[in-house]
Amino acid sequence: MDAVAESRPSDKPRVGAGLSAQVLLQYEIEQFLYAEAALLDARRYREWLGLLADDIHYWMPIRRTVTLSDLDLEFTKPGGMAYFDDDRALLEMRVKKLEAGSAWSEDPPSRSRHFVSNVRVLGVEAGAQGDEITIEVCFHLYRTRLNSEVGGWVGRRLDVLRRARDGFRLAKRHIFLDQTVIPTTNMSTLF
Amino acid sequence: MDAVAESRPSDKPRVGAGLSAQVLLQYEIEQFLYAEAALLDARRYREWLGLLADDIHYWMPIRRTVTLSDLDLEFTKPGGMAYFDDDRALLEMRVKKLEAGSAWSEDPPSRSRHFVSNVRVLGVEAGAQGDEITIEVCFHLYRTRLNSEVGGWVGRRLDVLRRARDGFRLAKRHIFLDQTVIPTTNMSTLF
Amino acid sequence: MDAVAESRPSDKPRVGAGLSAQVLLQYEIEQFLYAEAALLDARRYREWLGLLADDIHYWMPIRRTVTLSDLDLEFTKPGGMAYFDDDRALLEMRVKKLEAGSAWSEDPPSRSRHFVSNVRVLGVEAGAQGDEITIEVCFHLYRTRLNSEVGGWVGRRLDVLRRARDGFRLAKRHIFLDQTVIPTTNMSTLF
Amino acid sequence: MADGTLPIAAQWDAGEIRALFDAESGWLDRRVHSDAALYQLELERIFARGWNFMCHESQLPNAGDYFINYIGEDQVICVRDENGQINVLLNTCRHRGNALCRAEQGRAKSFVCSYHGWNYGLDGRLIGVPGQSTYYRGDLDKSRLGLVKAAKVESYLGFHFATMASDAPALHDYLGDVGRTGLGMVCANGDIEVVDGIQKNVMDCNWKIAVDNLFDWYHVPYSHASANSAGFLDVAAILHPNNQMVMLGDYGQAIGGPGLSKETQAKIDAMSDEEREAASRAAPPNTPRVRLRRAKALMGPEGVRSMGHPNLFPNLWITMSGLQMCLRLPRGPSKTELWWFTLVPRDAPAPLRRRMISQANHVFGPAGLLEQDDGENWSQSTRAAAGFSSRKVGAALLMGLGRDEVLVGENGQTSVEGYVGEHAQRWFYRSWTEWMAARDWAELEATRSPVPTGVV
Amino acid sequence: MADGTLPIAAQWDAGEIRALFDAESGWLDRRVHSDAALYQLELERIFARGWNFMCHESQLPNAGDYFINYIGEDQVICVRDENGQINVLLNTCRHRGNALCRAEQGRAKSFVCSYHGWNYGLDGRLIGVPGQSTYYRGDLDKSRLGLVKAAKVESYLGFHFATMASDAPALHDYLGDVGRTGLGMVCANGDIEVVDGIQKNVMDCNWKIAVDNLFDWYHVPYSHASANSAGFLDVAAILHPNNQMVMLGDYGQAIGGPGLSKETQAKIDAMSDEEREAASRAAPPNTPRVRLRRAKALMGPEGVRSMGHPNLFPNLWITMSGLQMCLRLPRGPSKTELWWFTLVPRDAPAPLRRRMISQANHVFGPAGLLEQDDGENWSQSTRAAAGFSSRKVGAALLMGLGRDEVLVGENGQTSVEGYVGEHAQRWFYRSWTEWMAARDWAELEATRSPVPTGVV
Amino acid sequence: MADGTLPIAAQWDAGEIRALFDAESGWLDRRVHSDAALYQLELERIFARGWNFMCHESQLPNAGDYFINYIGEDQVICVRDENGQINVLLNTCRHRGNALCRAEQGRAKSFVCSYHGWNYGLDGRLIGVPGQSTYYRGDLDKSRLGLVKAAKVESYLGFHFATMASDAPALHDYLGDVGRTGLGMVCANGDIEVVDGIQKNVMDCNWKIAVDNLFDWYHVPYSHASANSAGFLDVAAILHPNNQMVMLGDYGQAIGGPGLSKETQAKIDAMSDEEREAASRAAPPNTPRVRLRRAKALMGPEGVRSMGHPNLFPNLWITMSGLQMCLRLPRGPSKTELWWFTLVPRDAPAPLRRRMISQANHVFGPAGLLEQDDGENWSQSTRAAAGFSSRKVGAALLMGLGRDEVLVGENGQTSVEGYVGEHAQRWFYRSWTEWMAARDWAELEATRSPVPTGVV
Ligand code: FES
Ligand code: FES
Ligand code: FES
Ligand SMILES: [Fe+3]
Ligand SMILES: [Fe+3]
Ligand SMILES: [Fe+3]
């Protein structure tokens, strides 16, 4: 799926697997996504890095309020401006920053809760490095900071999981926020 | 289940199916509900209409803050005042309105996210037009509008899915909000 | 798992069961948790009590905003100050209070919605009274009161379910809020 | 500072207030839609002083039935007592001020305060005080410590209103012919009752913008274009661009919208009630029913022709789209709570009743196919009024200004007839400035404009 | 405008403020619970000027231990320095005002500002400034740029208090006999320590409504009826309807609630500490322990009989239900943050300690079986005070007014004894008006009422 | 009260305002960061009166392209019309004030109001009014009812600015040499265009604290220590502790940050554009490119040495970290909306363009590796300014005060060179007090300080 098309939600039915195989896959994927979320909520960032593929693309374009006739402008395009447009090196830099002991916006650390909901497998494709499973979820990343700052982000996520020998690796995370003007002082939290 | 009784939540255990059959049904239903929600969130209203049974009843009574001794007054009754009390024709009218190019409250279109959670199959009954499955879910319909309007609705939904040859059809959606005074300027979003 | 350790989230993989057995267990547990939540949301407190083990520990420590170097202070410890630290007798007292007809903060009753998400089975252990299954969930307890009071609580829950002959019993519920200063006038709702 | 007045409410003087709307030019200063000080003054001078709609008698059939409403931001309990009387009581205990009722409606035997247990009768009398003879040593003069009642509660056609001002004119005079015509309109085809279930939602708009709109037939084709496209509304059938009939009354009362021609009315006059009912049945659905003979007594010989929207000053809109009334409760300069009351004739046969309720469910309220789009316009008009430069621009109430004449009809009922215009809106804002500038009822009576005559 | 004062705080003059509570009649103007201008003035004239509870020494055992608290809405760091002294420092950097601490509590070696790295010692002294000799060319007089310290920090029985007013009386005198009795009460059975974990929640109420309530034994049977039904509370055992004992002190200090009779106290006086401990053990659970001999020195010969609730003016409530103190921090006219500190005797054996903590966990705090219902009454009383007409009604503090006499007891300790009444509440609001009307400490000292004597 | 002015905005007099910053001592009264009345006055006297950045011409390539921006809290439409001109129109209908545009950007043929359908051209002219000849009887003078245009719209180097004050000086003069140098800086290596996608977020800080910070090279090592540790930033490479070069201009314009030495510049001057490009390519990534020959004309002979941060008064920050501009839109005393515009040379080859966008995406904005920590400091500095005692403390703008001299360079361009200091911040706040104290442009021109000379 090319990056532009994917900003339009998909309902492609997943094919080529019997019903119980689908159920098992769904279970495996949900459990992976929940475990991955739990690592972030537990601030175990380095372990989280371990779940990422080396070629991960972690991207959150800018969403704009536009009229129906300008819906092509709703999201910025790949390669353009974005809130996140990270490869593995940049994500490692973010984690390193969090570990530096001087990331003031995260010390005291904020408290996050990653709600992963409406998990849907959109497709399974054989890739060079293993099967690649495209997944759509609704997410609510709830966050409190200090004693009274309550906020969060809501939207749709398009993930690609690649099946490695020892479990899944996250090969793509494209995050489509429902918010346009970001309502929080920062986004120092990982999605 | 009659419409009055259903405003009281149910915990009827689902019977008559082996455990793995239950798991498969649960999977099918969840996936249907998620796909249906994704259509609404993607503003693909006309495709959404395709998932509705012709005799659908789409209803959201008014909830009131009442004392324990007046709990019989908590919801308005079927046939009385309601926020939604739609048949298929009315839902089509709502969609037509959204497509008209002059539905100002939805142009710029709002951004919705339908969180479908705690999915429970309450019963499966054979109906004239196919098996009818009664489902209870907790929903959180999160919505942002324009650049700074954040809102949403939370509650319990009682759906009936009818199994047709080519998949499920939504034959009933009864929406029991947790909110009494509606906190938003409008409810131009479909639930 | 001892009570101190558990305030640190776990990602222990669950072992000793085939994949389909895991799926079935996951289904049973989710359905139990959803049904249990539905009882609370339906204000059927006495029936809810019926799902509790006699030796239940229902605990919500106080969370504090602390720096990274003081993370050992983030939660109060078992036996110390807490928002909830209840055994069965105390929970029955809470229910009795709700039934007393004079619990002013719950008459008019508030309206709650227990969103149970990211359900993970962390372990299954044989116990004297039956298998004990340790579960982690993300929860969002949404609540409205009167006509305009909207609030809620978000966090992580560590439950232990014990398998009895006629279904599960909740033997432990440890609630780790994401909020530090509680943003609501009261916590008259059960988690 | 006067009782209860906040310092902020004293920031505008009378001259400045009067200048906020220039009736000569039709220009309105948009600070009326945004300033916090003006808003506080509205609570005092408009809401506490005027007559506020409380409930219809059918909402409270039995003794102990109560319904919570507001006078401005003050919560009141409307309750029927054992004598059948409907009382309006401030929902605040005389001891420490706690609320007596926290539900929206219900059934009570008496009102017991959850704080210390003071117990008030359905008429507000303090009937029980724990420790009266012991802790209070019998000192408490219970007769002076009943719940504060509205200064006056009066009703017309079963509609109950209340004011906090003891020197307010009688409801009958306050409504005047125009207000009574408005209430008469909903009873024109028989006595009515309120259907259970008030739709309520909060909108980000100033309450006056919502009032302004109810007189406004100008917005229908554009604002509601999508409802028209979808087939919900037939704009052509309801617009009547040059059959408008505006009636203006004392104290800011007004009715705006279309009217029947005298010719049409004459034909109706010639019909028996049976013929009228038959004509109504023959008309397309959602057409207003032909009024029965009783209508003339209720609405007057000219008023009976009005098919428009009355506003009972300050904030009760009456509409026949679904036979509904909408109360606009102020919640701050840029917030309004909208409450929709749906009415049906008491003797309506079940199918008619069903049809009327269905129409009401779908036209207004937050999910209503019309109100969705209204809300967008109102909230955006309010939002812009908060900007310093936008606020300075002013709103233009120019339509038909100086172009129409007040016609004096039968029985002295007056109306402005012809094109869609903004006569009612101007009258509303002009009255508003007079209410706001006057310190008390005596001053208001001495300074308010008489109902316009001649060219308007 | 004076330093730091906002224009809004100047909207009330002294005469208007004094009229807000009429001590003669017992009527209170409810604008005190809602007006934004009065609230700003409270931050200046009550909180910045009075003595505020900061922490107990046991909370900060080691050098570098800190605890964040508030003086009004000003955040302060309470920290023990290397000399063992507890300092109270405004949590705002002297450079641009950034916060030094953003946690609620913790351990620090020094306070380094996250903006430009200014470094302050545990005593607030500025000890490090990046670029001092280069960028600042050595100009910076670091000795004048330490963190702003509270004007005075003083302690009594290990409880530390702070004031921003350098002309405030000494803590000892400010507390006076009544305040010291209050603090003595919690130490009556041994020196105490604060248990780790402060319960905190935000309530939609005016802080004074929460203070008013702590003296109030009148609300117990009705407000807490459900806790009684559920078996958590035995109302009959705690009410003591005519064994009340109110003590009033300078500056608004007060204790309200039940007291032991002189006869009962005489019997206790005759007991040894061992006998008292035995009696405590024999009593039903959750009964307050019999006080030890040391209590008389701490509470005075009359005060030792008090089983009530002290309030250390303005906002520290002391209760023995679970040996707790509750600080009510103002967060706006209709918002209060409640902080519950739980105390146990330092030498409490583990089971007693467990029992006390368990009682504390379940009685108060947001999930507490009592406080749930208190909050409802307080928030509703506050909400209603925002309405124009409801606000005018006034709150009635009439109970026992003019019916009781101030008794002068041993050592000159005074009390009002007998029925449940509202003497302490009246004294609190009367003192409040005096604090609010006085521009500075000198004027407050010159104008405040002496502690009542004779008939009250 | 003057047009559009709210009563609250009149609470400070000119003397009080001037005293808020003492340029002699460098102390700033922190009420400027918290008082609601000052904030209202800022909307009038700073934002409506000054020149506000609207957009760059590249954002609106075609007729009908529009972009919504703000002048203070007033929403404006920036739109290119059929003549190629960029108009700035208040986004409020002349009829009732509804918004014409509710999107952030888009393409329009004309602006039709969703309320009653008034239709405005891309130049704001009212071109269509339903019912003009009927309802309005042709009375409406459409030529006087166009959308309100900014009093002036002028551009420099493709950057469009607008002011609501018709008596404002021309943009060219308002920017002055310093402002023009700032804009010249971003065009020094070629004409630029704005990349699609403005990062926007809301921060809990006063807008002036964000402005203060942009001049501030002092905070870099400490605030951004973690970005340094993570390898994202090389603090040592960017700090230049004693190569600072501050330029101060009329009306509060300023540039702060490092500068090249005259020697370095002389070497550059000797290079051809080709050599400069080669040098840029040879430098480590994220090093600012060596400026081309055109730069000197754009920035002046001294200005061309500046590697710092211009602020175009009041609220447009220009930075070369990623060639970006950040607009700080006021949203209340403690709230600011930050909008990041990213610029690239029009003729940038794809890899350079990609690298510049990537740098922009990662340095600033809410997820930016630098701005995360800035926001924390700004919001905490703002929060503390709300406390009564903390507010009194003042902010210390003492660095380098009285220690440096304004150098007059070639072409009369002036600068303060040497150590990191707070000259630009002091100039910003001093100018702010003068803007705030002056009732109109004439008074501002008469009373504002000349650009400092001599010792500063
Ligand atoms: S407040 Fe109602 S009885 Fe005291
Ligand atoms: S604000 Fe603290 S060092 Fe600058
Ligand atoms: S408000 Fe724009 S046309 Fe009426
Ligand atoms: Fe409308
Ligand atoms: Fe209580
Ligand atoms: Fe920075």
Side-chain angles (χ1 to χ4, degrees), chain D residues 213 216 219-220 223-224 317 364 370-371 373-374 377-378, chain F residues 115:
Chain D
N213 174 268
D216 177 346
H219 81 291
V220 176
S223 286
H224 301 304
W317 170 23
F364 294 121
L370 290 201
E371 194 155 290
D373 299 310
D374 285 323
N377 292 324
W378 305 349
Chain F
Y115 201 164

Side-chain angles (χ1 to χ4, degrees), chain E residues 8 357 399:
Chain E
I8 190 182
I357 288 176
M399 199 182 281

Side-chain angles (χ1 to χ4, degrees), chain F residues 93 95-98 113 115-118:
Chain F
C93 181
H95 181 226
R96 279 299 192 279
N98 191 29
C113 179
Y115 201 164
H116 307 89
W118 285 24

Side-chain angles (χ1 to χ4, degrees), chain D residues 115, chain E residues 213 216 219-220 223-224 317 364 370-371 373-374 378:
Chain D
Y115 201 164
Chain E
N213 174 268
D216 178 347
H219 81 291
V220 177
S223 288
H224 301 305
W317 169 24
F364 295 123
L370 290 201
E371 197 156 285
D373 299 309
D374 285 324
W378 304 350

